[in-house]
């Protein structure tokens, strides 16, 4: 049975309250389909009573609510999704940070999904810094998706997934295993993954660069603002913020300066 418009509105409200996600009318069919799947899994068939249970448990660590939160995540990603970001990492972030005396750069991949963004950053760092890269660069990927993080940690990718990896990098940084490709230990040594909800405060020290791509676009305006506050606090002064092309987040000019290059734009937190 389809939810009534009122039930659909209740569903969108309860999910927004739990996750900070926005549900404009274009996303309602997606919301309905995923919620129906979770309802079926939970053995529920009445929207009204199921919604009442969800509303009563919102914010708690309940099993059904968590399954619904997870089912609504979009984990779509790929290696080297924004080539311009990698050019900026090579041409601006790495040389400028090292010239400024940094000995170890910390990079955060927010909403890292199954790990392709974090491993791509590691490949770019290694291409620039050579075999010593694991001593000079540490990359942390954070996400709320448990299954996505497990896949990221496994570091085994299918042929379609590695299609956007340049052939030379595929040869250098992956071990073919049957039809799949496993990330080699030297790359893996540079990357760690951690479960973290980016709406919460990060107690992980300061980062030199943060990549937040294709994460904020799903959130409500207050949640986007909350995330920008968290990311700003986690970025050292002089550090760099990379955003996806449709993030819907604008770093404020009193805190950031935009650095434009033909390959794209990166926002630098204004040094003290
Ligand atoms: C579309 S993927 C983006 C992957 C990668 N950053 C890219 O651009 O290819 C969005 C990821 O953000 C994660 N995500 C959503 N809400 C989050 C939150 N509150 N904290 C951390 N990660 C979150 C999702 O689980 C999903 O894996």
């Amino acid at each position: 049975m389809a939810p009534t418009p009122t039930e659909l509105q209740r569903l969108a409200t309860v999910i927004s309250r739990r996750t900070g996600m926005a549900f404009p009318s274009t996303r309602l069919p997606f919301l309905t389909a995923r919620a129906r799947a979770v309802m079926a899994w939970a053995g529920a068939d009445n929207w009204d009573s199921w919604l009442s249970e969800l509303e009563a448990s919102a914010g708690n660590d309940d099993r059904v609510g968590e399954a619904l939160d997870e089912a609504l995540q979009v984990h779509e990603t790929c290696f080297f999704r924004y080539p311009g970001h990698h050019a900026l990492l090579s041409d601006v972030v790495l040389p400028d940070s090292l010239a400024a005396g940094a000995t170890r750069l910390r990079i955060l991949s927010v909403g890292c999904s199954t790990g392709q963004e974090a491993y791509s950053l590691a490949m770019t760092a290694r291409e620039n810094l050579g075999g010593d890269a694991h001593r000079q660069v540490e990359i942390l990927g954070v996400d709320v998706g448990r299954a996505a993080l497990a896949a990221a940690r496994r570091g085994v990718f299918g042929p379609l997934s590695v299609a956007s990896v340049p052939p030379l990098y595929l040869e250098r940084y992956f071990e073919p295993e049957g039809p799949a490709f496993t990330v080699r230990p030297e790359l893996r040594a540079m990357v760690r993954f951690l479960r973290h909800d980016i709406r919460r405060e990060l107690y992980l020290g300061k980062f030199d660069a943060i990549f937040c791509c294709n994460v904020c676009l799903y959130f409500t305006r207050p949640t986007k603002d909350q995330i920008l506050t968290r990311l700003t606090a986690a970025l050292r002064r002089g550090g760099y913020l990379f955003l996806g092309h449709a993030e819907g987040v604008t770093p404020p000019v009193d805190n950031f300066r935009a650095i434009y290059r033909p390959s794209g734009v990166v926002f630098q937190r204004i040094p003290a």
Side-chain angles (χ1 to χ4, degrees):
M1 198 179 26
T4 65
T6 311
E7 286 164 344
L8 194 50
Q9 192 47 55
R10 281 172 66 194
L11 178 63
T13 303
V14 76
I15 296 297
S16 262
R17 207 181 321 135
R18 294 179 65 97
T19 64
M21 281 184 202
F23 289 99
S25 56
T26 48
R27 291 196 83 213
L28 291 179
F30 166 79
L31 173 63
T32 310
R34 296 284 171 104
R36 284 176 100 134
V38 175
M39 265 177 93
W41 167 78
D45 58 5
N46 181 294
W47 282 94
D48 181 50
S49 51
W50 188 63
L51 282 166
S52 298
E53 272 178 47
L54 265 184
E55 284 159 349
S57 67
N60 297 331
D61 271 351
D62 57 311
R63 220 166 49 94
V64 173
E66 278 208 0
L68 186 55
D69 296 348
E70 177 113 13
L72 290 167
Q73 296 299 343
V74 176
H75 295 302
E76 189 183 323
T77 185
C78 70
F79 286 101
F80 297 98
R81 188 168 193 167
Y82 295 117
H85 283 180
H86 291 270
L88 283 159
L89 181 62
S90 299
D91 299 343
V92 177
V93 177
L94 292 174
D96 288 7
S97 305
L98 295 173
T103 50
R104 189 164 172 81
L105 294 185
R106 303 187 72 226
I107 299 178
L108 181 66
S109 165
V110 171
C112 62
S113 187
T114 39
Q116 285 88 330
E117 182 176 272
Y119 288 125
S120 302
L121 296 170
M123 284 186 258
T124 297
R126 222 184 130 87
E127 285 298 307
N128 281 275
L129 303 172
D132 217 28
H134 66 285
R135 270 188 271 277
Q136 290 175 280
V137 175
E138 126 186 25
I139 297 159
L140 177 67
V142 295
D143 203 289
V144 282
R146 293 178 200 277
L149 283 169
R153 289 191 186 106
R154 269 196 306 279
V156 180
F157 298 95
L160 276 181
S161 183
V162 297
S164 54
V165 177
L168 187 66
Y169 291 11
L170 193 60
E171 206 174 294
R172 272 187 194 152
Y173 300 117
F174 292 82
E175 192 69 53
E177 283 185 8
F181 295 82
T182 301
V183 171
R184 286 192 202 270
E186 55 268 36
L187 206 62
R188 204 183 276 272
M190 298 173 65
V191 182
R192 279 185 310 130
F193 295 100
L194 190 72
R195 184 159 190 265
H196 178 74
D197 181 338
I198 196 57
R199 292 174 300 156
R200 314 264 172 261
E201 210 157 323
L202 271 160
Y203 296 105
L204 298 166
K206 297 282 186 196
F207 290 86
D208 299 282
I210 296 180
F211 289 75
C212 180
C213 304
N214 304 298
V215 178
C216 292
L217 66 173
Y218 301 110
F219 290 121
T220 60
R221 170 55 48 201
T223 309
K224 288 182 206 273
D225 293 343
Q226 184 187 8
I227 291 175
L228 185 57
T229 303
R230 299 288 185 231
L231 298 184
T232 305
L235 195 61
R236 73 160 171 81
R237 289 194 175 276
Y240 301 86
L241 176 63
F242 289 83
L243 296 171
H245 294 169
E247 228 55 44
V249 167
T250 310
V253 288
D254 53 342
N255 241 333
F256 287 89
R257 74 180 181 108
I259 300 175
Y260 293 98
R261 291 285 186 278
S263 49
V265 59
V266 58
F267 300 91
Q268 183 179 32
R269 187 168 176 208
I270 292 172

